[in-house]
Amino acid sequence: MARLLLDPKKHKNYAFNGCVTCDAKCCGSNIVYSSIFDLKEASALFPILFYISDGRISPVYFFYYGEATEEKCPYLNGNLCSVYERRPYACRSYPFSFEQGKPCFDDGCPRVGRLENGGNPLFNSQNKLDSRVISEFVGETFAKEKEKIFASSKQFVDFCLSNNFLVPYTSFYKDNSLYMNFKPTLVEHLYMLHPQRIGVMRMQNKELFTGHDDFFQYIMMIIASHKNIETLFSLKKV
Ligand code: SF4
Ligand code: SF4
């Protein structure tokens, strides 16, 4: 599956055709892209790591489900989401998302296709995302505040990098150092939760966050979110 930029010229005659007959393909990936916008909801359910693409910090996060890429989200029960009411924004907005501030869709969703096959058009006559796409997927608040959300996401990741909170997770992702996590040397206690050596840390340098109370909150949420690795693995055993 790949995220493709939504281009009004290219996708003028594209539509979304509803989820009714789909067997929840979107819950079959081992990563879900997200943003700081839904950090609170997401961190309550998933461990959160960072993703850096093309040498740039992309203001997205992802939720890691497990080692095998073909595994499904452990919250998927049959074709239904067992945490539907509190599923993260990334799940609510799927197949639509934003990459570097630009709207995208995931070509892995089988129900995005040509308008002649029916469904709700993706663009209106002014070549803007259709209002139904916004109200049902993107969300009015997100659409209105997206520039602010992207800017604060980037600021947060920059803050983490400049203060050495983030390091490439090379020990686990041997062939790919793009995945980032918090730096273990900042750890007061590092709990090893799994042979993957993903740890939970407690912050020592709280004074670094003076004037950045919101960042501190985000970091605490991300740290707490790593406890979900245990939850996810115990869910899989069931
Ligand atoms: S968003 Fe797409 S992949 Fe997900 S359930 Fe709906 S049709 Fe299927
Ligand atoms: S949380 Fe729910 S909607 Fe999101 S990937 Fe998991 S099963 Fe699907």
Side-chain angles (χ1 to χ4, degrees), residues 19-206:
C19 301
V20 181
T21 56
C22 178
D23 58 355
K25 289 210 165 19
C26 47
C27 307
S29 165
N30 72 335
I31 58 170
V32 176
Y33 289 90
S34 184
S35 76
I36 215 162
F37 182 69
D38 66 345
L39 202 52
K40 199 167 165 203
E41 295 154 301
S43 61
L45 296 167
F46 299 95
I48 293 182
L49 303 176
F50 293 79
Y51 180 64
I52 312 288
S53 64
D54 301 329
R56 285 186 304 173
I57 302 159
S58 197
V60 294
Y61 305 90
F62 69 90
F63 316 126
Y64 181 67
Y65 301 151
E67 291 174 50
T69 48
E70 66 278 3
E71 287 196 33
K72 287 182 178 267
C73 173
Y75 297 114
L76 189 65
N77 188 357
N79 286 340
L80 299 176
C81 173
S82 60
V83 291
Y84 189 78
E85 291 305 325
R86 56 196 182 103
R87 71 199 189 287
Y89 175 78
C91 300
R92 279 185 273 137
S93 67
Y94 191 87
F96 303 103
S97 61
F98 287 83
E99 174 74 32
Q100 308 285 350
K102 298 196 180 95
C104 303
F105 73 99
D106 193 327
D107 69 352
C109 171
R111 309 294 285 169
V112 174
R114 307 284 305 175
L115 188 56
E116 56 260 33
N117 297 328
N120 188 72
L122 304 188
F123 289 99
N124 63 22
S125 51
Q126 282 87 47
N127 286 343
K128 302 267 183 228
L129 272 186
D130 186 79
S131 57
R132 243 181 95 189
V133 171
I134 291 186
S135 63
E136 287 180 23
F137 297 96
V138 177
E140 306 288 351
T141 315
F142 193 93
K144 268 192 215 125
E145 296 186 7
K146 66 179 166 39
E147 298 310 328
K148 214 167 94 192
I149 292 162
F150 296 133
S152 69
S153 299
K154 184 171 185 328
Q155 217 186 348
F156 172 60
V157 179
D158 286 347
F159 175 84
C160 291
L161 284 173
S162 60
N163 286 294
N164 277 331
F165 292 153
L166 293 174
V167 288
Y169 217 68
T170 45
S171 58
F172 176 56
Y173 298 102
K174 288 189 194 68
D175 304 323
N176 191 342
S177 62
L178 297 179
Y179 300 92
M180 309 287 278
N181 206 344
F182 287 97
K183 192 169 184 157
T185 52
L186 293 169
V187 172
E188 195 176 87
H189 297 285
L190 184 66
Y191 299 104
M192 293 321 208
L193 292 179
H194 188 264
Q196 293 171 351
R197 296 196 193 90
I198 295 174
V200 176
M201 62 171 208
R202 288 184 182 156
M203 303 299 303
Q204 284 179 319
N205 323 44
K206 293 198 176 83

